[in-house]
Amino acid sequence: MFARLRSDIQCILDRDPAARSTWEVITCYPGLHAVWLHRPAHWCWGHGLKWLGRFISHFARWFTGIEIHPGAKIGERVFFDHAMGVVVGETAEIGDGCTIYQGVTLGGTSLYKGAKRHPTLGKDVVVSAGAKVLGGFEVGDGAKIGSNAVVIKPVPAGATAVGIPARIIPSKEGQSADVTEEAKPKPKFTAYGITQEDDPLSQAMRGLIDNAASQEHQITLLWQAIEKLSVLQKTQDCVPCDAALKEQFEASKLNELVGK
């Protein structure tokens, strides 16, 4: 038991640069208090003491601002960072080493009792501020959920989900898509699900812009070739007055509007 308590404290010291001492973590971190209060609540829930489990979770919600249903399953080294307004549903499962920020909801979309209504987070998942993960699906190990994302479908291991509804940025060569370079032999913790890659919708828009620019370039080359042939043949009617002999598609400006 004491080893688990020490690991709870150490995971905060490892992931939060603002944590200065063990005493500060024990006394001033509501996320730690929420985890510690959830354990007796979960024990009561699993041993038929439903009301007592709910009462402990209700007290924890008042004391910490974090609402965790006593039926939820939470692994080891889970860190609720800041975490005011976090809601974790009854059938939710949070794997070892996960980090959850403020305003997160692990919610359900089904109203059937006894069904798996809430998500399952794998190991080392980061759920960023304001994100909503809704449904009884799985979020793979090492995945990242971006801030304010609304996730309604499974997220593969190592991928990052961003946007509303969330779009998936897959990992490359088995590595996470986050901004921090991997520190060998152990990956370095990264917060808030920030990625180096563009949003998938932005990538699609850039592809369409590039394709349109390429097509205009090809059409311009064709009209220029026809103009040269008409000059050689001394025929002026081959080239319409509205033919695009110069490229006017401003791809660079459109790419700037799309942004990163």
Side-chain angles (χ1 to χ4, degrees), residues 106-125:
L106 303 183
T109 56
S110 170
L111 298 178
Y112 295 102
K113 291 185 178 181
K116 171 64 173 168
R117 309 190 308 277
H118 304 91
T120 295
L121 307 186
K123 296 180 180 179
D124 302 317
V125 173

PDB file of all heavy atoms in Angstrom, residues 106-125:
ATOM      1  N   LEU A 106     -15.150  11.977 -19.166  1.00  0.00           N
ATOM      2  CA  LEU A 106     -15.161  10.613 -19.684  1.00  0.00           C
ATOM      3  C   LEU A 106     -16.593  10.137 -19.528  1.00  0.00           C
ATOM      4  O   LEU A 106     -16.984   9.566 -18.501  1.00  0.00           O
ATOM      5  CB  LEU A 106     -14.181   9.722 -18.911  1.00  0.00           C
ATOM      6  CG  LEU A 106     -12.723  10.183 -18.894  1.00  0.00           C
ATOM      7  CD1 LEU A 106     -11.859   9.166 -18.146  1.00  0.00           C
ATOM      8  CD2 LEU A 106     -12.185  10.397 -20.297  1.00  0.00           C
ATOM      9  N   GLY A 107     -17.406  10.420 -20.540  1.00  0.00           N
ATOM     10  CA  GLY A 107     -18.849  10.251 -20.429  1.00  0.00           C
ATOM     11  C   GLY A 107     -19.398   9.132 -21.279  1.00  0.00           C
ATOM     12  O   GLY A 107     -18.685   8.482 -22.046  1.00  0.00           O
ATOM     13  N   GLY A 108     -20.705   8.913 -21.130  1.00  0.00           N
ATOM     14  CA  GLY A 108     -21.377   7.846 -21.854  1.00  0.00           C
ATOM     15  C   GLY A 108     -22.457   8.390 -22.758  1.00  0.00           C
ATOM     16  O   GLY A 108     -23.004   9.470 -22.530  1.00  0.00           O
ATOM     17  N   THR A 109     -22.780   7.632 -23.796  1.00  0.00           N
ATOM     18  CA  THR A 109     -23.832   8.020 -24.730  1.00  0.00           C
ATOM     19  C   THR A 109     -25.009   7.059 -24.682  1.00  0.00           C
ATOM     20  O   THR A 109     -26.009   7.274 -25.354  1.00  0.00           O
ATOM     21  CB  THR A 109     -23.282   8.064 -26.165  1.00  0.00           C
ATOM     22  OG1 THR A 109     -22.703   6.787 -26.485  1.00  0.00           O
ATOM     23  CG2 THR A 109     -22.210   9.130 -26.291  1.00  0.00           C
ATOM     24  N   SER A 110     -24.901   6.007 -23.884  1.00  0.00           N
ATOM     25  CA  SER A 110     -25.976   5.023 -23.769  1.00  0.00           C
ATOM     26  C   SER A 110     -26.687   5.194 -22.432  1.00  0.00           C
ATOM     27  O   SER A 110     -26.077   5.582 -21.430  1.00  0.00           O
ATOM     28  CB  SER A 110     -25.402   3.602 -23.869  1.00  0.00           C
ATOM     29  OG  SER A 110     -26.391   2.641 -23.543  1.00  0.00           O
ATOM     30  N   LEU A 111     -27.976   4.886 -22.428  1.00  0.00           N
ATOM     31  CA  LEU A 111     -28.767   4.990 -21.198  1.00  0.00           C
ATOM     32  C   LEU A 111     -29.133   3.626 -20.631  1.00  0.00           C
ATOM     33  O   LEU A 111     -29.924   3.537 -19.696  1.00  0.00           O
ATOM     34  CB  LEU A 111     -30.053   5.793 -21.476  1.00  0.00           C
ATOM     35  CG  LEU A 111     -29.856   7.243 -21.925  1.00  0.00           C
ATOM     36  CD1 LEU A 111     -31.213   7.895 -22.207  1.00  0.00           C
ATOM     37  CD2 LEU A 111     -29.104   8.043 -20.870  1.00  0.00           C
ATOM     38  N   TYR A 112     -28.544   2.548 -21.179  1.00  0.00           N
ATOM     39  CA  TYR A 112     -28.869   1.205 -20.716  1.00  0.00           C
ATOM     40  C   TYR A 112     -28.027   0.824 -19.502  1.00  0.00           C
ATOM     41  O   TYR A 112     -26.795   0.870 -19.551  1.00  0.00           O
ATOM     42  CB  TYR A 112     -28.648   0.188 -21.842  1.00  0.00           C
ATOM     43  CG  TYR A 112     -29.572   0.391 -23.010  1.00  0.00           C
ATOM     44  CD1 TYR A 112     -29.111   1.006 -24.177  1.00  0.00           C
ATOM     45  CD2 TYR A 112     -30.900  -0.011 -22.958  1.00  0.00           C
ATOM     46  CE1 TYR A 112     -29.960   1.204 -25.260  1.00  0.00           C
ATOM     47  CE2 TYR A 112     -31.752   0.184 -24.037  1.00  0.00           C
ATOM     48  CZ  TYR A 112     -31.279   0.786 -25.175  1.00  0.00           C
ATOM     49  OH  TYR A 112     -32.111   0.980 -26.238  1.00  0.00           O
ATOM     50  N   LYS A 113     -28.690   0.468 -18.420  1.00  0.00           N
ATOM     51  CA  LYS A 113     -27.976   0.062 -17.216  1.00  0.00           C
ATOM     52  C   LYS A 113     -27.245  -1.254 -17.456  1.00  0.00           C
ATOM     53  O   LYS A 113     -27.749  -2.152 -18.124  1.00  0.00           O
ATOM     54  CB  LYS A 113     -28.954  -0.096 -16.055  1.00  0.00           C
ATOM     55  CG  LYS A 113     -29.543   1.214 -15.562  1.00  0.00           C
ATOM     56  CD  LYS A 113     -30.409   0.994 -14.324  1.00  0.00           C
ATOM     57  CE  LYS A 113     -30.946   2.318 -13.803  1.00  0.00           C
ATOM     58  NZ  LYS A 113     -31.775   2.137 -12.588  1.00  0.00           N
ATOM     59  N   GLY A 114     -26.050  -1.337 -16.894  1.00  0.00           N
ATOM     60  CA  GLY A 114     -25.252  -2.550 -17.035  1.00  0.00           C
ATOM     61  C   GLY A 114     -24.417  -2.599 -18.296  1.00  0.00           C
ATOM     62  O   GLY A 114     -23.570  -3.477 -18.434  1.00  0.00           O
ATOM     63  N   ALA A 115     -24.653  -1.677 -19.225  1.00  0.00           N
ATOM     64  CA  ALA A 115     -23.865  -1.657 -20.461  1.00  0.00           C
ATOM     65  C   ALA A 115     -22.569  -0.894 -20.243  1.00  0.00           C
ATOM     66  O   ALA A 115     -22.433  -0.109 -19.309  1.00  0.00           O
ATOM     67  CB  ALA A 115     -24.674  -1.007 -21.581  1.00  0.00           C
ATOM     68  N   LYS A 116     -21.594  -1.148 -21.104  1.00  0.00           N
ATOM     69  CA  LYS A 116     -20.333  -0.424 -21.081  1.00  0.00           C
ATOM     70  C   LYS A 116     -20.566   0.921 -21.762  1.00  0.00           C
ATOM     71  O   LYS A 116     -20.530   1.045 -22.977  1.00  0.00           O
ATOM     72  CB  LYS A 116     -19.261  -1.250 -21.796  1.00  0.00           C
ATOM     73  CG  LYS A 116     -17.945  -0.526 -22.039  1.00  0.00           C
ATOM     74  CD  LYS A 116     -17.238  -0.144 -20.769  1.00  0.00           C
ATOM     75  CE  LYS A 116     -15.849   0.422 -21.098  1.00  0.00           C
ATOM     76  NZ  LYS A 116     -15.216   1.075 -19.959  1.00  0.00           N
ATOM     77  N   ARG A 117     -20.806   1.959 -20.967  1.00  0.00           N
ATOM     78  CA  ARG A 117     -21.222   3.247 -21.510  1.00  0.00           C
ATOM     79  C   ARG A 117     -20.084   4.250 -21.629  1.00  0.00           C
ATOM     80  O   ARG A 117     -20.202   5.232 -22.354  1.00  0.00           O
ATOM     81  CB  ARG A 117     -22.315   3.854 -20.612  1.00  0.00           C
ATOM     82  CG  ARG A 117     -23.464   2.916 -20.326  1.00  0.00           C
ATOM     83  CD  ARG A 117     -24.621   3.612 -19.641  1.00  0.00           C
ATOM     84  NE  ARG A 117     -24.219   4.344 -18.461  1.00  0.00           N
ATOM     85  CZ  ARG A 117     -24.055   3.818 -17.250  1.00  0.00           C
ATOM     86  NH1 ARG A 117     -24.249   2.509 -17.089  1.00  0.00           N
ATOM     87  NH2 ARG A 117     -23.711   4.564 -16.220  1.00  0.00           N
ATOM     88  N   HIS A 118     -19.018   4.039 -20.890  1.00  0.00           N
ATOM     89  CA  HIS A 118     -17.954   5.039 -20.798  1.00  0.00           C
ATOM     90  C   HIS A 118     -16.644   4.488 -21.370  1.00  0.00           C
ATOM     91  O   HIS A 118     -16.462   3.276 -21.461  1.00  0.00           O
ATOM     92  CB  HIS A 118     -17.764   5.450 -19.338  1.00  0.00           C
ATOM     93  CG  HIS A 118     -19.027   5.956 -18.698  1.00  0.00           C
ATOM     94  ND1 HIS A 118     -19.897   5.113 -18.027  1.00  0.00           N
ATOM     95  CD2 HIS A 118     -19.569   7.197 -18.645  1.00  0.00           C
ATOM     96  CE1 HIS A 118     -20.931   5.825 -17.578  1.00  0.00           C
ATOM     97  NE2 HIS A 118     -20.755   7.083 -17.947  1.00  0.00           N
ATOM     98  N   PRO A 119     -15.713   5.372 -21.723  1.00  0.00           N
ATOM     99  CA  PRO A 119     -14.502   4.932 -22.438  1.00  0.00           C
ATOM    100  C   PRO A 119     -13.506   4.196 -21.552  1.00  0.00           C
ATOM    101  O   PRO A 119     -13.525   4.308 -20.323  1.00  0.00           O
ATOM    102  CB  PRO A 119     -13.907   6.247 -22.951  1.00  0.00           C
ATOM    103  CG  PRO A 119     -14.404   7.281 -21.993  1.00  0.00           C
ATOM    104  CD  PRO A 119     -15.773   6.842 -21.591  1.00  0.00           C
ATOM    105  N   THR A 120     -12.636   3.468 -22.224  1.00  0.00           N
ATOM    106  CA  THR A 120     -11.499   2.801 -21.573  1.00  0.00           C
ATOM    107  C   THR A 120     -10.212   3.429 -22.095  1.00  0.00           C
ATOM    108  O   THR A 120      -9.968   3.416 -23.309  1.00  0.00           O
ATOM    109  CB  THR A 120     -11.503   1.294 -21.877  1.00  0.00           C
ATOM    110  OG1 THR A 120     -12.658   0.699 -21.297  1.00  0.00           O
ATOM    111  CG2 THR A 120     -10.258   0.628 -21.310  1.00  0.00           C
ATOM    112  N   LEU A 121      -9.419   3.989 -21.214  1.00  0.00           N
ATOM    113  CA  LEU A 121      -8.138   4.587 -21.590  1.00  0.00           C
ATOM    114  C   LEU A 121      -7.036   3.565 -21.356  1.00  0.00           C
ATOM    115  O   LEU A 121      -6.952   2.970 -20.279  1.00  0.00           O
ATOM    116  CB  LEU A 121      -7.858   5.850 -20.766  1.00  0.00           C
ATOM    117  CG  LEU A 121      -8.940   6.934 -20.732  1.00  0.00           C
ATOM    118  CD1 LEU A 121      -8.414   8.167 -19.992  1.00  0.00           C
ATOM    119  CD2 LEU A 121      -9.392   7.315 -22.133  1.00  0.00           C
ATOM    120  N   GLY A 122      -6.164   3.394 -22.357  1.00  0.00           N
ATOM    121  CA  GLY A 122      -5.016   2.506 -22.193  1.00  0.00           C
ATOM    122  C   GLY A 122      -3.959   3.129 -21.298  1.00  0.00           C
ATOM    123  O   GLY A 122      -4.210   4.100 -20.573  1.00  0.00           O
ATOM    124  N   LYS A 123      -2.763   2.605 -21.363  1.00  0.00           N
ATOM    125  CA  LYS A 123      -1.670   3.105 -20.537  1.00  0.00           C
ATOM    126  C   LYS A 123      -1.087   4.395 -21.126  1.00  0.00           C
ATOM    127  O   LYS A 123      -1.013   4.555 -22.338  1.00  0.00           O
ATOM    128  CB  LYS A 123      -0.571   2.043 -20.418  1.00  0.00           C
ATOM    129  CG  LYS A 123      -1.011   0.769 -19.709  1.00  0.00           C
ATOM    130  CD  LYS A 123       0.130  -0.225 -19.626  1.00  0.00           C
ATOM    131  CE  LYS A 123      -0.302  -1.500 -18.917  1.00  0.00           C
ATOM    132  NZ  LYS A 123       0.802  -2.489 -18.844  1.00  0.00           N
ATOM    133  N   ASP A 124      -0.687   5.290 -20.232  1.00  0.00           N
ATOM    134  CA  ASP A 124       0.046   6.516 -20.612  1.00  0.00           C
ATOM    135  C   ASP A 124      -0.727   7.401 -21.592  1.00  0.00           C
ATOM    136  O   ASP A 124      -0.139   8.073 -22.433  1.00  0.00           O
ATOM    137  CB  ASP A 124       1.413   6.158 -21.206  1.00  0.00           C
ATOM    138  CG  ASP A 124       2.263   5.350 -20.237  1.00  0.00           C
ATOM    139  OD1 ASP A 124       2.295   5.699 -19.046  1.00  0.00           O
ATOM    140  OD2 ASP A 124       2.886   4.356 -20.666  1.00  0.00           O
ATOM    141  N   VAL A 125      -2.022   7.425 -21.468  1.00  0.00           N
ATOM    142  CA  VAL A 125      -2.850   8.303 -22.294  1.00  0.00           C
ATOM    143  C   VAL A 125      -2.879   9.700 -21.667  1.00  0.00           C
ATOM    144  O   VAL A 125      -2.930   9.848 -20.445  1.00  0.00           O
ATOM    145  CB  VAL A 125      -4.284   7.747 -22.416  1.00  0.00           C
ATOM    146  CG1 VAL A 125      -5.202   8.735 -23.130  1.00  0.00           C
ATOM    147  CG2 VAL A 125      -4.262   6.418 -23.156  1.00  0.00           C
TER     148      VAL A 125
END
